[in-house]
Amino acid sequence: MTATLATDPQAATAHPYWLLEQLRQDWPDHWPALIAANNARPPLALRINQQRLDREHYQSWLAQTGRLAAAVPEVPTALILDEPTEVTTLPGFADGWLSVQDAAAQLAAPLLELQAGHRVLDACAAPGGKTGHLLELEPKLDLIALDRDAGRLEQARDNLRRLQLTARLVAGDACRPADWWDGLPYDRILVDAPCSATGVIRRHPDIKLRRRDRDIAGLAAQQLAILASLWPLLRPGGRLLYATCSVLRRENEGVIAAFLEGHPDARERPILATWGHALPHGRQLLPGEANMDGFYYADLCKQAVISGI
Ligand SMILES: C[S@@+](CC[C@H](N)C(=O)[O-])C[C@H]1O[C@@H](n2cnc3c(N)ncnc32)[C@H](O)[C@@H]1O
């Protein structure tokens, strides 16, 4: 019995067959490390609100209260606590000095290269983790945080209140802009798409039980539909950042390849970084790498239309 368990890949890795096969296929050189990371305990990562204080300042505050935290070199706002703790007991939590957010998720906002006055759509915003970061980076945004789940949007409201930041929160479907769009184009759009969440299994191991292979094609179709619906809302020269916490190629570079094929006015900007893996389209972090969750990013720019050509 013990021998059977040890040789049965599903039992030995605590991953379902379909996912093991998919990870092997998508990441032939990385899947053993990926699976080990999925089964390891995740760190507690903090995002320090740079409107209030810098990371080094907060790190020394923590040290004075007897807590040690390490800076994440790739992410200027991220600290990882040596010992997980109840975050509400951390100095400044109630006053919005910090948020709990994995370092990989903290890569999103800086990739948008925001400027004061930008009109920004955070299209799948709840519970507002990245919305808060966008405003911490550039408080003078005209920011709409959209989500189709009104209940989760309330969590975004609470988070922003604690951070003392404001955005217009809109309950609506990204695939139905006619229901909520005011007709003015956006300079930046963030699509933090609904996905399989296979990059955050170490935080939510139940994903291994709840997800099925057959879900993935449906998720990819949904992701593509969101991108296609929002693209007309971006101004020429504007940028759309597509993000998922998936490690599956069908939801990531597969979606971006299909999108680019159907949108000749879309160009991909390569993400040059010290983290993750450059893919034919987009850039992928795998779970555990640089102590981060698994995340995918693709940076798209809308070409200005040149008439007469
Ligand atoms: C990955 S979560 C977003 C996490 C969030 N950006 C953050 O950083 O806290 C994806 C969100 O997309 C929302 N969503 C899914 N389909 C949507 C749609 N068609 N239109 C708007 N929101 C949608 C879900 O309700 C969910 O809150």
Side-chain angles (χ1 to χ4, degrees), residues 47 86 102 120 152 163 165 189 221 244 252 284 286 302:
R47 182 186 80 230
E86 170 54 50
D102 189 79
V120 180
R152 278 167 66 85
L163 294 169
L165 296 168
I189 297 179
T244 73
N252 294 339
Q284 178 82 55
L286 295 174
K302 191 178 218 174

Side-chain angles (χ1 to χ4, degrees), residues 6-20:
T7 53
D8 175 58
Q10 187 164 241
T13 62
H15 281 60
Y17 284 124
W18 77 267
L19 185 55
L20 274 178

Side-chain angles (χ1 to χ4, degrees), residues 101 122-130 146-149 152 172-175 192-194 222 226:
Q101 189 178 47
D122 184 359
C124 295
K130 296 183 189 67
L146 177 85
D147 203 283
R148 72 173 177 193
D149 184 328
R152 278 167 66 85
D173 186 338
C175 295
D192 189 16
Q222 207 182 334
I226 291 175

Side-chain angles (χ1 to χ4, degrees), residues 238-255:
R239 305 251 298 270
L240 183 153
L241 184 69
Y242 175 72
T244 73
C245 57
S246 167
V247 294
L248 304 184
R249 292 188 188 242
R250 277 188 284 168
E251 292 182 275
N252 294 339
E253 59 177 293
V255 168

Side-chain angles (χ1 to χ4, degrees), residues 150-170:
R152 278 167 66 85
L153 215 47
E154 282 310 306
Q155 295 173 37
R157 195 181 305 281
D158 292 344
N159 275 329
L160 291 177
R161 193 177 294 128
R162 186 181 59 81
L163 294 169
Q164 298 165 38
L165 296 168
T166 48
R168 272 183 285 158
L169 303 184
V170 178

